[in-house]
Amino acid sequence: MSALVRARDVRRDYPLEREAVHALRGVSLEVEKGEYLAIVGPSGCGKSSLLNLLGAIDAPTSGTIEIEGRNVGTLGDREVTDFRLRHIGFVFQRFYLLPILSARENVELPMAEAGVSAAERRERSTELLRYVDLADRVKHRPAQLSGGEQQRVAIARALANRPSLLLADEPTGELDAKTGQEIISLFGRLHADGTTVVVVTHDENLARAARRVVHMRDGVIVQDEVPGG
Amino acid sequence: MVALLLALQLRTITIDQRLAADAHVRVGDTVVVSATPGAGGDSVVLAAIIGRRADPSEIARSDYRVHLHLDQLQRLVGYGDRVDRFAIATHGTPAADSAVRMINDAAFGFRAYRSRDIAVETSATFAVVSRFHRAIGVITIVASAVFLLCILLLKVDERRRDVAALRLLGISRRSVMLTVVLEAAFVSVIGSGVGVVMGWVTSLAVNWHYQARYQTPLRFALVTSDIVIFAVTLSLVLGIVAGALAARRLVRTHPLVLLGR
């Protein structure tokens, strides 16, 4: 396997009035293609900050982040936005589906932005919603879906432009245990089908399902393990 | 037969609707008209009941209108062969202008006016009232426009999480701006449409109420095509401005900040 993501000595400081908060204090990490990685740690340890950097949402104060060989920290706003659109899929804790759009329209949204034709959008959104077991919910709006169903739509949306990297920030955080387990199974299926998945979570079950677990504390990686490995 | 013969000899009058309603008389009834209440007068037949004209100057008038033949009226009131004013019907404006000029040149003590000029003069008060209403309308529209602008700004600001999610998904600033502005414009047009319909329905109710109250065909509230165009245009402009301002602010803010992180 080759490295899809390379973070080298990454630091991220957030300047406040009196003193800066050092969210990341020199993190280096490589994620291989097809890997299923969970980042865990107590609140405030820097795991979400790291995820934001890996997803080119934020830029490091120092150090470099390379995704598919591109240093995303040096890209301008327009370039980095387009990079996210085409190469990275995001799943959020609170789903963030657009309430006025149907499940299908939510899934088609990133494709429309990427210039995918209407026919292909329809075909691909049907395929994705079937993949997440929501073939019978394509016309439903988010308010008509359960939390688990909304998260599955969000996962389908994240996969819309066939990203090379799927990032998830506490994807089971808003769900009950049973529904959370369904999402964990879905991530397992995505990994089995070759998707590179990085999740940040407090959910032990989700972390246990990952093939590799990175533990963080106080802005640094304190353990990088392959459970059962 | 006797009654018919008697009726044939009687003169006719016309009265206005309000008098007919208050006196409980109908067309064909025989009534007595006299110069003073209770005094002896002439029996006449009510030939017609006349509706009020759509004339604002008649709204506040509480007097009744009775039309009699001129000679009978002169005899009843003892006014002799004199009149205060009379009207001359002409064919077209040039003839009216010519008649006015001729009378004013020839008849000392008379003054002739075009009916249009009299209408303008007598309705001067209503023109002032109309301008006053327009001023109130403009103030109301400006105040409500500012209010609506603030509401629209707040409503768009409530979408900060949606906007943040869109940006994180890789949707460009331009697309987000366009989406928000189009949505705001759409909502504004729908809102103005609903407002126009509400205004039209309200005008129907206002007209129905006051026309019944003052027994006049005058329309008190109007929703004209100009008003509709103005309302929709103003709403659309406000929607686009508010949408653009709010969207601009949102897309310039980092998505993580929008999400409160």
Side-chain angles (χ1 to χ4, degrees):
Chain A
M1 287 197 289
S2 56
L4 177 70
V5 181
R6 267 199 192 92
R8 290 195 189 111
D9 195 24
V10 170
R11 294 173 179 275
R12 183 65 176 102
D13 301 333
Y14 294 104
L16 294 179
E17 262 184 41
R18 290 186 180 175
E19 56 179 341
V21 172
H22 306 290
L24 295 174
R25 302 163 185 259
V27 170
S28 293
L29 178 74
E30 287 196 0
V31 182
E32 307 293 333
K33 273 185 185 165
E35 217 174 356
Y36 184 1
L37 170 73
I39 303 172
V40 298
S43 294
C45 70
K47 54 188 189 299
S48 287
S49 296
L50 179 58
L51 193 80
N52 292 338
L53 294 174
L54 296 180
I57 293 171
D58 200 5
T61 308
S62 67
T64 58
I65 305 273
E66 283 182 14
I67 302 170
E68 291 186 317
R70 288 186 76 178
N71 184 351
V72 292
T74 60
L75 299 177
D77 180 73
R78 199 173 291 182
E79 288 171 303
V80 83
T81 301
D82 192 61
F83 186 85
R84 281 202 302 268
L85 177 71
R86 295 173 196 281
H87 299 274
I88 300 169
F90 279 99
V91 178
F92 308 100
Q93 181 177 350
R94 293 184 181 168
F95 328 133
Y96 295 134
L97 298 174
L98 292 192
I100 58 165
L101 301 183
S102 67
R104 181 194 294 283
E105 289 162 344
N106 266 290
V107 175
E108 287 187 3
L109 189 69
M111 291 188 255
E113 179 72 7
V116 177
S117 71
E120 196 180 340
R121 286 204 303 264
R122 192 165 186 85
E123 188 184 331
R124 220 190 284 178
S125 62
T126 303
E127 181 190 321
L128 285 166
L129 287 167
R130 194 181 301 135
Y131 185 84
V132 297
D133 295 326
L134 287 175
D136 57 341
R137 293 279 199 275
V138 290
K139 289 181 179 172
H140 287 62
R141 296 199 174 181
Q144 298 168 306
L145 300 171
S146 69
E149 288 172 332
Q150 287 187 55
Q151 193 58 297
R152 280 189 274 158
V153 174
I155 291 169
R157 179 182 64 181
L159 297 169
N161 285 326
R162 295 175 180 147
S164 48
L165 176 63
L166 180 67
L167 303 176
D169 192 357
E170 300 283 6
T172 58
E174 294 278 311
L175 307 174
D176 59 55
K178 183 174 172 293
T179 316
Q181 195 55 49
E182 290 171 12
I183 298 301
I184 292 170
S185 300
L186 181 54
F187 276 114
R189 194 144 53 96
L190 283 166
H191 167 62
D193 290 342
T195 308
T196 309
V197 182
V198 177
V199 291
V200 160
T201 186
H202 278 110
D203 185 339
E204 287 180 8
N205 291 328
L206 179 56
R208 214 175 292 132
R211 300 294 178 270
R212 180 181 165 199
V213 181
V214 168
H215 297 262
M216 290 188 71
R217 186 181 295 274
D218 296 331
V220 292
I221 293 174
V222 291
Q223 192 183 354
D224 190 343
E225 60 166 341
V226 179
Chain B
M1 189 66 182
V2 173
L4 181 63
L5 286 171
L6 190 63
L8 285 172
Q9 291 170 355
L10 294 178
R11 307 295 295 272
T12 55
I13 63 165
T14 66
I15 62 172
D16 68 23
Q17 272 178 325
R18 208 139 49 87
L19 176 55
D22 292 350
H24 306 292
V25 292
R26 292 181 299 179
V27 172
D29 286 354
T30 302
V31 296
V32 176
V33 289
S34 63
T36 52
D42 295 349
S43 289
V44 292
V45 174
L46 182 56
I49 295 171
I50 299 166
R52 281 194 157 193
R53 289 178 297 162
D55 183 351
S57 65
E58 291 194 0
I59 294 298
R61 292 176 69 162
S62 57
D63 52 347
Y64 298 128
R65 285 200 168 192
V66 180
H67 294 181
L68 298 95
H69 293 282
L70 186 57
D71 60 317
Q72 188 177 25
L73 176 64
Q74 286 174 323
R75 186 168 46 74
L76 275 171
V77 298
Y79 203 54
D81 189 17
R82 289 181 295 150
V83 290
D84 292 326
R85 63 187 78 167
F86 61 91
I88 298 171
T90 59
H91 293 286
T93 307
D97 292 342
S98 170
V100 165
R101 199 165 42 249
M102 283 171 62
I103 293 167
N104 287 339
D105 288 347
F108 179 75
F110 275 102
R111 187 72 194 163
Y113 300 94
R114 291 177 198 83
S115 57
R116 190 179 56 203
D117 295 340
I118 294 172
V120 168
E121 198 173 321
T122 54
S123 62
T125 308
F126 299 103
V128 172
V129 171
S130 180
R131 284 191 202 111
F132 183 61
H133 283 167
R134 185 168 295 181
I136 293 172
V138 168
I139 291 167
T140 308
I141 286 170
V142 169
S144 51
V146 172
F147 177 73
L148 282 175
L149 198 67
C150 294
I151 292 285
L152 273 167
L153 283 169
L154 284 172
K155 293 305 284 181
V156 175
D157 204 56
E158 280 177 12
R159 305 285 302 279
R160 51 197 301 132
R161 289 194 167 183
D162 291 340
V163 170
L166 288 172
R167 296 282 295 131
L168 294 181
L169 290 171
I171 309 298
S172 67
R173 285 181 171 166
R174 188 173 165 274
S175 295
V176 172
M177 280 280 290
L178 194 64
T179 305
V180 173
V181 169
L182 281 177
E183 193 181 320
F186 176 74
V187 170
S188 301
V189 169
I190 295 293
S192 62
V194 171
V196 165
V197 171
M198 284 175 68
W200 178 71
V201 171
T202 306
S203 74
L204 290 182
V206 166
N207 287 333
W208 174 80
H209 174 73
Y210 285 109
Q211 283 172 353
R213 180 169 178 175
Y214 294 110
Q215 294 179 329
T216 174
L218 192 70
R219 291 164 70 196
F220 292 80
L222 292 171
V223 179
T224 63
S225 55
D226 284 351
I227 290 172
V228 172
I229 291 167
F230 175 70
V232 174
T233 307
L234 180 71
S235 179
L236 188 62
V237 169
L238 279 177
I240 289 171
V241 168
L245 284 174
R248 188 167 170 268
R249 196 175 57 187
L250 288 181
V251 297
R252 285 185 166 205
T253 308
H254 195 282
L256 291 176
V257 176
L258 291 176
L259 290 175
R261 295 184 183 182

